[in-house]
Amino acid sequence: MIDLPILLAVADSFLHPIGPVAEEQLKHLNFVMLITLIAIIPPLVATPVILWRFRRKKPTGTYRPNWDSNPILESLMWGVPLIVVILMGISLWKITFRLDPYRELSDAPLKIKVIGLDWKWIFIYPDEKVALVDELIVPEGRAVEMILTTDTVMQSLRISAVVGQIYAMPAMTTKLNFIAAEEGEARGMNTQFTGEGFWKQKFPVYSVTDEQYNKRMEEARKSSLSLTPETYAILAVQGTSEEAKKPLGIADQVGPITLLLPEVNFFERVLARYWANEPMTPETQPGSPDYDPTKSTLPPAPSEPMMKM
Amino acid sequence: MEELLFGKLTWDSVIIVQEIEDPNLNTFITAGAAAMIPIGGVMIVALLWWLKWWKPLISWVTSVDHKRIGVMYIIFAVIMLFRGVVEGTLMRLHQATAIDGGFLSADHFNQLFTTHGTNMIFFVAMPFLIGLINIAVPLQIGARDVAFPKLNQISLGLTGAGGFLIMISLLIGEYATGGWTGYPSYNGKLVNPGVGPDYWLLSIGLSGIGSTLTGVNFAVTIYKMRAKGMTFMRMPLFTWTALATSILLIFAMPPLTACCAMLGLDRYLDFHFFTNDMGGNLMNFINLFWMFGHPEVYILILPAFGVMSEIAPTFAAKRLYGYKGLVAATMCIAVLSFMVWLHHFFTMGQSTTVNAAFGIATLLIAIPTGVKVYDWLATLWGGRIRFTTPMIYLCGFFILFVLGGFSGVVLANPTLDYQLHNSLFLVAHFHNVILPGTLFGILAAIHYWFPKMFGFRLMESWGRLTAGCWIFGFSVTFLPLYSLGLKGMTRRTVDYTDPSYVPLMIVSGVGSLFLSLAFLFLLVTFWRSIVNRKKLAVPFGDPWDGRTLEWWTPSPAPEYNFAVLPEVHSLDAFTAAKEAGTAYDPVEKYEDIEMPSNTYYGLIIGILVSAFGFGLVWYIWWMVIASFLGCIGTMIAYAFLPQRENIIPAEEVRRIDEAWRREARETQGITRDEESNETNKGLARPDILPSV
């Protein structure tokens, strides 16, 4: 376990994991660093020694101007890094498959559909018929599968303490599977630069007991707002979720925006806007400086996927 | 009418006008930077007028001499480095104070990291390295010039045109904000309709064509123009790396040109290559960009490796260890560099098998790179090491570059990349390989080859101070970023809210001041050395007891490089001749030397392409059409112009060369103890040391 003292204060990265994926990533980091040391310690030690021993002013080693090869040394030079790479390659191969973000971690994971907007995230809970903006809440110990897209430019959703990141792209979906094993709070964010408000695109991730989770969902279902094309168009305007409260008419509400989900296939409708053979215009493309929420409409949900998901 | 003449260009596009309309610290900085363009321009013109340097200037910019073209590349790179260092320092200082609001606006910060990256890669590192290759390769292989001297000039003109576009964006309009990689759809027309992305794609697209031509030129030069007896396995290592770089340029630059052209079609003509809608796919851009981008990394590092392979044996006064291994490692890296591009986007959602395969391919590259470091250390083993400026860079390189490789191996693991991608850990990693690798290599090479170019050495005192300052500044600025990246801080953030980031951000900000100081010291080194050039002169041409052909001719090297083309019988041909005592023996037969004469070709193309790019950015269609037709017309016209050659008569060559050889035979050289003294006139005395 390598932990530099300067890192100890951190609560919000995979150095302090609250889920099995991040835990294994941390272990793998330590393994990689340790095994790489085999290859890098020799030059780090040899550099000062050689410079001292063979300095012109007062050398202590023999001068051998024509020494230019040695089969044993040569095979060590190629062999040691090769062995290190083979060892690391085996472990890389195994862990890349084991921690594949697309691999479902149980038979019936909790499905959450995620839409990235400038500069906020909508988390749709189809089973609960609610959507939360900039708040992710999951029951501890339960496998979660997120399916992501964006309705603007490419983004990357990362929850360090739990799993890491995956890109989210318009017209396409990606997946992120994880388990938050312990109760706690982590931070999620977009790591892919998306413009002026990019750095504000962060959200809390709560890993809670089933009871608390159900309570929160119950509470969310009391919302006065629904995720309709109209409210969605307003959310798609560039800005943080706090800034979206006023145009949504809930300026005084404290806490994250919650929405009812009258339509289970809302996520698919957002995707489908790019599958229709209609070009996007500056008025209809969220993220464009000329985007106009009154002109933005969503097509009906496709009956079957037009792209492989 | 106005639109016909000026396109989208209005008075408000000029940055200085914006400052007058809305004065604050942020616009003051942008306006200050913008003002440097006209003020600097006027000052240069005034200086040239005052010093009556018009004529020499013309003779330089119309020259096809590879050494002069190399020097012009390097001067261009130093100017751009000035801008890059200032931008980097501004960003680090802003982030150090960002929790209290900083002093830059978000838009300005976003332009800064985009120009800093684009500028440092395309207009600092590449011109520096191409400049060094220009200077050293023909001399190292014993040739009089490159294979296509005019083409070489055109490459320089195209690089200059790209540089013009990125510079003029400071004054007129704005630059892109999407980072040096310029991903769509962020850089697409719908999301960013302004001129910034157009400046970005035209500046790198046009200069990229120049780089492709450079690759062709040097590959042919190295294949075809080596001196008699210089087989491939007798080529100096720098030439080997230059060959690998040329091959990489030929194969890696076209994807960049293609993806810039396609993004241009999307933006200008409503195509849908990379758009969100109508079947466009931004992933194709990312793929194509990194198909260029990863070999590019090795375009930047391989020549620096070549420099290290020249410096280590020279300043350790012994043979290069493992020549064959180094050649094999160089070519391994060149091939493998095309097989790893996907590691720049492990997190894009492709299948695990693909990620794992590319992860392992990335690990494989670490093997030849490691072998190189071990070989250089073994080169020093058993030597007699002199701690000159290039050696100080080499020491800094050994320690720091190894750390960069270390973090690279960490990032090669897809599963760790899911955590560290887009974080400051990544920023720390690539600065950790590019500064101690590429930049230290470049600076060491400038010290090493400067006397060959100008006939005098750079001052050791200032040189060592500068080297120390770069090493210290780098360590303080970038090593803390590893820690911040592990803590989760992302790149490209104008602001942050986590107070635990602040202490290390401040350390990093202070470090950036040392990097600025190092740049200043670099200029002082040049200035003090120029002032003392008489004392530092090395007319005999061999100030470091060199081993390869470039030192076997006077300094500064004559236009024709070698009075008589050398013949090579082994590696380190010059050392062999010096050991045999035949290096300066008289030559019987001299011949007329034919050299290509000066031409305005490259200059005209450079100016026309600049106008073409500027016209496209601002939709000034008459300018676009006129400059495009102008380019075609120039090419046709020059194809019909009769070839003029400059003949240097055999008698004149004999007079100069005989004098040099005679004087070298009659003068007693210096030992390596006097290397840094004024007595070093560039003639090395055999330096037999008592064994210990």
Side-chain angles (χ1 to χ4, degrees), chain A residues 1-10 15-16 30 33, chain B residues 479 482-483 486:
Chain A
M1 189 77 186
I2 301 164
D3 210 339
L4 308 170
I6 203 125
L7 304 172
L8 282 174
V10 187
L15 301 173
H16 296 268
N30 288 326
M33 298 210 308
Chain B
L479 298 182
Y482 279 123
S483 176
L486 285 171

Side-chain angles (χ1 to χ4, degrees), chain B residues 62-84:
Chain B
T62 60
S63 173
V64 287
D65 182 346
H66 67 92
K67 303 181 286 300
R68 289 190 163 193
I69 287 177
V71 170
M72 285 188 278
Y73 267 115
I74 287 175
I75 292 173
F76 172 78
V78 169
I79 294 168
M80 300 307 267
L81 177 63
F82 169 63
R83 179 174 173 189

Side-chain angles (χ1 to χ4, degrees), chain B residues 584-595:
Chain B
Y584 301 102
D585 280 356
V587 173
E588 289 189 3
K589 194 161 173 284
Y590 289 90
E591 282 171 359
D592 288 355
I593 298 176
E594 232 177 63
M595 297 302 293

Side-chain angles (χ1 to χ4, degrees), chain B residues 413-433:
Chain B
N413 285 266
T415 184
L416 298 176
D417 197 66
Y418 279 111
Q419 286 287 0
L420 297 170
H421 181 59
N422 274 342
S423 76
L424 284 186
F425 189 90
L426 172 75
V427 174
H429 162 69
F430 65 70
H431 282 91
N432 196 350
V433 282

Side-chain angles (χ1 to χ4, degrees), chain A residues 13-89:
Chain A
S13 86
F14 75 121
L15 301 173
H16 296 268
I18 60 168
V21 178
E23 221 164 81
E24 282 205 58
Q25 284 168 328
L26 179 60
K27 266 191 215 149
H28 188 65
L29 174 69
N30 288 326
F31 166 76
V32 168
M33 298 210 308
L34 267 178
I35 197 164
T36 313
L37 285 179
I38 298 171
I40 73 160
I41 283 189
L44 290 180
V45 174
T47 303
V49 170
I50 291 175
L51 291 175
W52 183 252
R53 198 168 141 87
F54 296 100
R55 67 196 191 281
R56 185 185 164 87
K57 286 255 164 67
K58 232 177 156 195
T60 51
T62 322
Y63 184 41
R64 294 198 286 173
N66 294 326
W67 181 66
D68 63 0
S69 70
N70 178 316
I72 297 170
L73 192 58
E74 207 94 343
S75 37
L76 277 177
M77 283 174 174
W78 287 90
V80 171
L82 184 68
I83 291 166
V84 168
V85 164
I86 289 173
L87 288 178
M88 206 187 305

Side-chain angles (χ1 to χ4, degrees), chain A residues 28 39 54 63 158 165 167 280, chain B residues 277 317 374 385 413 421 488:
Chain A
H28 188 65
F54 296 100
Y63 184 41
R158 187 186 79 192
Q165 68 194 303
Y167 283 174
M280 299 293 283
Chain B
D277 55 344
Y374 301 147
I385 299 164
N413 285 266
H421 181 59

